[in-house]
């Protein structure tokens, strides 16, 4: 097995992307696994590591896995509640890549927006109600509603295309 797709997903968005990436990799050369506290260091040479965004970076379970990696070729992918700009995604990818131990090589990174739980909208609604002129609350609400349909079919197709591109890079 050459590739492992390992992902951390609390509410399913990143899992959807991970499945799309897995399906795009060469048949019989990849495996898919959800990361947990006891995930062992993978033996595959190329790792697609998927994460949900937790306060601007990958979550602790993924960081724990990172600590076990050395000499790997790594492709990062993720989902984030805010998705307004590529620069925002790039900053998350950069902060996440910086957590990988030296000696691992990052081949590329890709992210898309992912829906958030209804409780988050309720919090934004309370913000807006408390301060009706608050443009921040209004933009949070607009972003929440925009995120609701993501990852969508276009996101999943883009994730698959990205995976194929990364595999082609590896296969040389
Ligand atoms: C505790 C917590 C912290 C979060 N922090 C961020 C954040 O800093 N930036 C962001 O864009 N989204 C943030 N989100 C939103 C999630 O990253 C987003 O909804 C993601 O798609 C969830 O993926 P999952 O369904 O695979 O768990 C946060 C969500 C939770 C629950």
């Amino acid at each position: 097995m050459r590739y492992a797709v390992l992902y951390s997903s609390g509410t399913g968005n990143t899992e959807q992307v991970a499945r799309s990436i897995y399906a795009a990799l060469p048949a019989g050369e990849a495996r898919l696994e959800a990361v947990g506290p006891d995930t062992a260091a993978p033996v595959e040479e190329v790792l697609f590591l998927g994460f949900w965004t937790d306060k601007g970076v990958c979550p602790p379970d993924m960081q724990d896995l990172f600590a076990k990696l050395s000499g790997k070729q790594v492709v990062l992918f993720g989902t984030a509640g805010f998705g307004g700009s590529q620069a925002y995604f790039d900053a998350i990818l950069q902060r996440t890549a910086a957590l990988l131990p030296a000696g691992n090589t990052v081949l590329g990174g890709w992210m898309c927006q992912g829906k958030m739980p209804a409780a988050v909208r309720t919090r934004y609604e309370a913000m807006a109600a408390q301060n009706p002129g608050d443009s921040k609350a209004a933009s949070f609400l607009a972003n929440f509603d925009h995120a609701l349909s993501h990852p969508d079919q276009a996101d999943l197709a883009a994730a698959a295309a990205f995976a194929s591109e990364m595999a082609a890079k590896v296969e040389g």
Side-chain angles (χ1 to χ4, degrees):
M1 204 80 75
R2 189 158 200 199
Y3 303 96
V5 181
L6 308 174
Y7 64 91
S8 169
S9 181
T11 59
N13 297 329
T14 312
E15 178 175 356
Q16 274 184 278
V17 176
R19 289 187 181 281
S20 188
I21 284 177
Y22 169 68
L25 292 174
E29 287 187 48
R31 69 180 178 91
L32 178 70
E33 183 186 343
V35 167
D38 301 322
T39 301
V43 295
E44 291 80 2
E45 71 182 283
V46 185
L47 308 178
F48 284 74
L49 303 177
F51 60 91
W52 60 278
T53 303
D54 181 8
K55 299 177 203 76
V57 73
C58 71
D61 56 3
M62 187 52 76
Q63 295 187 29
D64 289 349
L65 178 64
F66 279 13
K68 299 174 190 165
L69 305 180
S70 81
K72 300 293 184 184
Q73 298 190 66
V74 172
V75 178
L76 296 173
F77 66 95
T79 64
F82 287 85
S85 76
Q86 187 58 43
Y88 179 72
F89 291 152
D90 287 346
I92 294 168
L93 287 165
Q94 212 164 51
R95 276 192 294 272
T96 297
L99 298 174
L100 276 164
N104 296 289
T105 307
V106 178
L107 299 175
W110 182 90
M111 290 191 72
C112 71
Q113 201 169 15
K115 65 188 109 33
M116 292 171 279
V120 174
R121 194 179 206 287
T122 307
R123 208 163 64 229
Y124 294 158
E125 284 166 3
M127 272 171 76
Q130 246 176 14
N131 200 344
D134 186 357
S135 63
K136 201 162 140 189
S139 78
F140 283 176
L141 281 166
N143 176 74
F144 179 95
D145 292 342
H146 186 261
L148 275 179
S149 59
H150 294 275
D152 60 15
Q153 287 310 312
D155 295 326
L156 298 179
F162 167 72
S164 299
E165 185 195 321
M166 290 295 111
K169 207 166 166 174
V170 170
E171 311 273 337

